[in-house]
Amino acid sequence: MSENVVHLHKHTDPPADDTAPTVLTVVPDPAPAPLVPLWVRSGRAVRTAATHEKTKTAARAVARHSLYTVNGGRIVARRTWDGKTGARYERMIRAAEVAGNLEVAEEWEERLQRFRAARHHRRMDLLHSPVEAAKGVAVGTGMGIGALVALGVVMAINNGDIADVITPLAATIEFIATVIRIVQIVWGPALTIGPFVALLALWAVGSKQQAAPAWSMPDHVRSGEGEPITPSIVVKALRDLGVPALRNAIKEMGDAGASMLGPIRIAGCGVEVDVTLPSGVATNEVQAKRRKLAENLTRHEHEVFITIPQAARTVRLWVADSGALDEPIGPSPLVTDETMTADYGKGRAPWGQDLRGDAAALSLYQRHLLITGLSNQGKTVALRSLALWLSLDRSVQFLMGDLKGVGDWAMFDGLATTLIQGPTDEHVIQVTEMVEGAVEEMNRRIQAPPGTTFPALIVLVDEAQVAFMCPAKDEDRRPYGGSKANSRYFMAVRKIHNQGRAVNVLMWQGTQDPTNENLPKLVREGAHTRASLALGTEQQARMALGDKAVDGGAAPNLLRPGLDRGTLVVASDGITIPAGQASITVRTHYIDDDAATAITDRAKALRDGVNTLHAIDRDQDRDPLADIASVIGTAERVRTKDVVARLGTLNADAYGGWSFIDLKRVLDGTGAEPYKSDGVMVVGRDRLTRALANRDGEGSASVAE
């Protein structure tokens, strides 16, 4: 029974009045904490101990090593059974039959018959072996005793002691008795230790094969991080893919599915293996399970690529080393090699690396180009790197429209004939007229005599979706955007796609987030080289690359936005693609603005000087002499044929049909007539400047008079 206890506390502060009485305060004790039963505390302690990480680790270790021993016994038993019977041959026959390879099945059948015949001969020999062994023992014993007696006789004669006759025989008998005593001493401990040695041997076999469930493995093994790809891992990943026909076929195969796999080859920062699927399993069933296959291989989805090679009923798996695709690739050769030049006709642009680590180079010769992807994934940099390489061919001309207008292409000022930058409707109108001018130049080239060669004219429009979506209309109510038969930008691009390649007038476009509205079907299918960065859906991937590439394994929609920035899936005959595949994945080199400016400076040094136009001049009255001066720019002299080509690009309506005769007619009598320099006809800048000054001076004098 509890007892009530009170405490008396006396105030220590002195009272204000000495006569005031002392005040005592009664303070009861706080209520005691409730008592927890002993069995509850014990249960909590047991639960804490049971769920502790060290306890779990110890339990997994006990289970793991126990299962090593059990499964090691199963492995040894199976090996013994395979060695004594024809089970191995029967498994290989069933595997060949499942794979539909009857020739291999017949070969294994012949091996099985030879094995059975040899086993029959061995068994027949065992029937006669006891008699033969008895005869051998009798003959051997007799010969041995005779030899020992003969040796004793020799010793007796030599020593003169008749007792030495049996000395060798007695020594042999004593040796045999010693061996028997040793066996008797060792036999008991051996019977005791033998089972433990056998268990240790079985444990060693199981440990080497890691014959235990994944949950019992240590943390670093269970995580599978960086686990190498082996045939058993690939087969197990396929078996657990969730395709019933594939799982059943692997179970029926005698070799547990190993015959499906080709050699596992090192391919860049990963490995590659071809898998021949059993009858009844389609390649698209495996492609549709990419994420599950990657997880079964202890990889992330973006680290496994499934393509369809040339062989029938085969999928090609490329599995990256864990984390390898997150590592950057090296700098572009355009940056590291300052002596590099380009060749439009025969060269290939160094674009990046494929997944195998090999250099990925793209031929641009007579190929229209389309690059698409989500916003901020590296589209402009990838497109610009191709233009930077091609700019190192001094014969190539550029007409550029940047409908983003933030300066990504500013370094081409002084290199491109036309450079329009800006996102407004007015900029779209300017770009449309630029493309239409390229169409006029294309028509002029087509009408040239057969066999005439022309320098490449690259018509490049970045953020082309802005042009397709532009609502502006001209004075005739024709829309600049859209995809109708009267849409000006759309029709100009279609005309270049139809005929431009033959006369080296090429259309390059970069666009983002493709739809049927901002990237019409006829435009995207007119490109010879189609490349895509990360996209959102498979439908967009089909728009970007085409059905054939996507059906063959191309999957830009599975790239990780932000993390796989600069990684492209390319469908083109201008890049080396493994046989049987319809596309290739390329990790492009990143060239920043400063490096791009340095490259364009090298390109400008190769040229005579280009006066870049930043708007399309719509005036009908042209001043040929001033236009000639504008296309010559800052160059000291320019070849007459280059001057004619630049004039045609400047204004196809006014100068599209010009020849050397027309140029000479304008310059005759001005003091700036064409003249020969190093064996070719050129127009000099200084002479042209004086001619303009003299003409302006004469005009001023006339006005003064």
Side-chain angles (χ1 to χ4, degrees):
M1 187 173 179
S2 61
E3 180 180 356
N4 292 328
V5 179
V6 297
H7 296 274
L8 300 179
H9 295 270
K10 183 177 180 180
H11 290 289
T12 56
D13 294 337
D17 187 0
D18 292 340
T19 62
T22 301
V23 179
L24 298 178
T25 303
V26 179
V27 181
D29 277 349
L35 297 178
V36 179
L38 180 60
W39 65 270
V40 174
R41 285 179 289 172
S42 300
R44 291 176 179 173
V46 170
R47 184 171 65 252
T48 302
T51 57
H52 196 276
E53 188 60 32
K54 291 184 178 179
T55 305
K56 293 180 181 179
T57 303
R60 285 199 301 265
V62 171
R64 178 171 67 253
H65 293 290
S66 300
L67 291 170
Y68 279 166
T69 304
V70 174
N71 292 329
R74 294 175 57 190
I75 294 172
V76 171
R78 183 166 185 173
R79 289 175 180 175
T80 304
W81 178 257
D82 288 345
K84 297 294 183 181
T85 66
R88 177 185 294 110
Y89 300 93
E90 293 173 356
R91 287 200 303 271
M92 299 305 295
I93 292 172
R94 290 196 299 271
E97 290 175 346
V98 171
N101 197 335
L102 298 181
E103 294 182 359
V104 175
E106 292 176 358
E107 180 181 349
W108 281 107
E109 179 68 25
E110 293 177 1
R111 294 183 181 182
L112 176 59
Q113 295 300 331
R114 290 196 298 268
F115 169 79
R116 288 174 174 171
R119 184 179 60 184
H120 175 72
H121 287 301
R122 289 195 302 271
R123 289 177 176 175
M124 295 302 295
D125 291 341
L126 288 176
L127 296 177
H128 304 285
S129 59
V131 177
E132 299 296 333
K135 290 180 180 179
V137 170
V139 172
T141 302
M143 293 180 63
I145 293 175
L148 292 173
V149 171
L151 179 60
V153 170
V154 173
M155 292 176 62
I157 294 173
N158 183 59
N159 296 333
D161 187 357
I162 191 64
D164 287 342
V165 173
I166 64 172
T167 298
L169 187 59
T172 302
I173 294 172
E174 183 178 356
F175 173 75
I176 294 173
T178 303
V179 171
I180 292 173
R181 285 194 298 271
I182 293 173
V183 171
Q184 290 175 340
I185 295 171
V186 174
W187 184 253
L191 290 177
T192 304
I193 299 174
F196 295 100
V197 175
L199 290 175
L200 181 61
L202 296 178
W203 175 88
V205 173
S207 176
K208 185 175 182 180
Q209 298 291 330
Q210 289 194 345
W215 59 264
S216 65
M217 293 296 182
D219 292 337
H220 68 280
V221 176
R222 283 188 294 123
S223 67
E225 194 71 22
E227 184 177 3
I229 300 300
T230 62
S232 60
I233 289 177
V234 175
V235 172
K236 186 176 183 298
L238 293 169
R239 185 194 67 194
D240 299 337
L241 203 54
V243 181
L246 180 59
R247 180 180 63 250
N248 295 334
I250 292 175
K251 288 182 178 179
E252 292 176 2
M253 293 181 184
D255 61 348
S259 60
M260 297 193 307
L261 306 184
I264 296 180
R265 305 175 295 272
I266 296 177
C269 57
V271 296
E272 185 179 72
V273 59
D274 287 350
V275 181
T276 302
L277 300 176
S279 179
V281 182
T283 55
N284 62 344
E285 293 183 84
V286 177
Q287 283 184 301
K289 301 280 188 176
R290 176 182 174 184
R291 172 174 294 183
K292 191 169 186 179
L293 178 61
E295 293 172 350
N296 290 348
L297 293 169
T298 64
R299 295 295 191 274
H300 297 291
E301 184 178 10
H302 71 278
E303 294 176 327
V304 175
F305 288 82
I306 306 173
T307 54
I308 309 299
Q310 196 167 6
R313 213 171 68 237
T314 302
V315 294
R316 177 169 295 162
L317 306 181
W318 185 85
V319 185
D321 297 336
S322 185
L325 294 184
D326 296 328
E327 298 293 330
I329 64 174
S332 170
L334 290 171
V335 177
T336 58
D337 185 3
E338 295 184 357
T339 63
M340 175 177 285
T341 57
D343 186 340
Y344 162 73
K346 299 179 181 179
R348 289 176 177 261
W351 211 5
Q353 294 180 0
D354 62 17
L355 296 179
R356 295 166 181 79
D358 299 329
L362 180 67
S363 172
L364 303 173
Y365 178 67
Q366 293 189 345
R367 289 179 176 89
H368 302 303
L369 176 67
L370 172 65
I371 298 180
T372 186
L374 297 178
S375 177
N376 196 31
Q377 298 304 309
K379 168 182 53 63
T380 297
V381 173
L383 182 61
R384 189 176 66 183
S385 66
L386 297 178
L388 288 171
W389 176 79
L390 198 55
S391 70
L392 296 175
D393 183 340
R394 59 175 295 170
S395 67
V396 177
Q397 303 172 21
F398 292 96
L399 300 178
M400 291 184 170
D402 174 17
L403 294 178
K404 183 188 297 182
V406 296
D408 290 334
W409 298 89
M411 65 287 301
F412 281 85
D413 193 355
L415 187 60
T417 304
T418 302
L419 176 60
I420 299 170
Q421 303 178 88
T424 66
D425 289 349
E426 177 60 29
H427 291 102
V428 172
I429 294 172
Q430 294 281 337
V431 168
T432 301
E433 294 178 349
M434 178 191 77
V435 178
E436 290 174 339
V439 173
E440 295 296 329
E441 171 64 13
M442 175 189 73
N443 293 333
R444 184 188 69 80
R445 294 183 178 190
I446 291 174
Q447 295 169 5
T452 305
T453 58
F454 299 98
L457 175 60
I458 306 300
V459 186
L460 188 153
V461 179
D462 194 12
E463 306 296 341
Q465 77 279 355
V466 177
F468 286 113
M469 300 299 290
C470 178
K473 296 181 180 181
D474 62 13
E475 60 275 6
D476 297 326
R477 305 298 296 170
R478 293 177 59 199
Y480 287 94
S483 57
K484 296 181 180 180
N486 62 344
S487 299
R488 292 181 59 176
Y489 180 79
F490 170 76
M491 291 305 299
V493 172
R494 286 292 299 138
K495 290 176 182 178
I496 294 177
H497 278 175
N498 290 337
Q499 296 179 297
R501 183 190 64 82
V503 290
N504 289 326
V505 177
L506 304 178
M507 192 75 208
W508 290 10
Q509 295 183 96
T511 182
Q512 63 176 261
D513 202 9
T515 64
N516 285 322
E517 289 72 27
N518 65 24
L519 187 60
K521 178 180 175 65
L522 292 177
V523 170
R524 59 183 186 251
E525 291 186 351
H528 303 98
T529 296
R530 299 167 72 173
S532 176
L533 296 117
L535 288 173
T537 64
E538 181 180 328
Q539 182 181 7
Q540 288 184 316
R542 292 183 181 276
M543 290 181 185
L545 300 177
D547 291 337
K548 180 181 179 182
V550 175
D551 292 339
N557 53 301
L558 297 181
L559 295 173
R560 302 167 299 166
L563 297 177
D564 290 325
R565 185 179 288 110
T567 299
L568 287 162
V569 182
V570 184
S572 172
D573 61 351
I575 193 170
T576 302
I577 298 177
Q581 294 182 204
S583 64
I584 188 171
T585 301
V586 177
R587 304 172 67 197
T588 58
H589 296 294
Y590 177 74
I591 303 177
D592 60 25
D593 291 349
D594 293 338
T597 301
I599 295 170
T600 53
D601 288 343
R602 286 156 42 196
K604 293 172 185 176
L606 297 175
R607 288 168 166 76
D608 295 327
V610 177
N611 184 29
T612 299
L613 298 179
H614 297 282
I616 302 299
D617 188 358
R618 301 186 180 95
D619 294 338
Q620 298 300 321
D621 297 332
R622 308 295 306 187
D623 183 350
L625 198 62
D627 286 345
I628 294 172
S630 69
V631 299
I632 289 179
T634 59
E636 181 179 352
R637 64 181 70 87
V638 178
R639 294 182 179 185
T640 53
K641 67 174 185 177
D642 291 339
V643 173
V644 172
R646 294 179 184 180
L647 287 172
T649 303
L650 176 65
N651 191 297
D653 293 334
Y655 305 113
W658 269 37
S659 64
F660 172 75
I661 301 300
D662 299 298
L663 178 66
K664 186 174 184 299
R665 173 177 50 80
V666 171
L667 295 178
D668 281 347
T670 64
E673 295 84 355
Y675 63 95
K676 276 193 174 183
S677 175
D678 296 330
V680 295
M681 296 299 292
V682 299
V683 177
R685 180 194 60 195
D686 294 340
R687 296 184 181 185
L688 195 58
T689 302
R690 286 196 297 270
L692 285 170
N694 293 336
R695 186 191 66 177
D696 294 341
E698 293 174 358
S700 300
S702 299
V703 172
E705 293 175 359

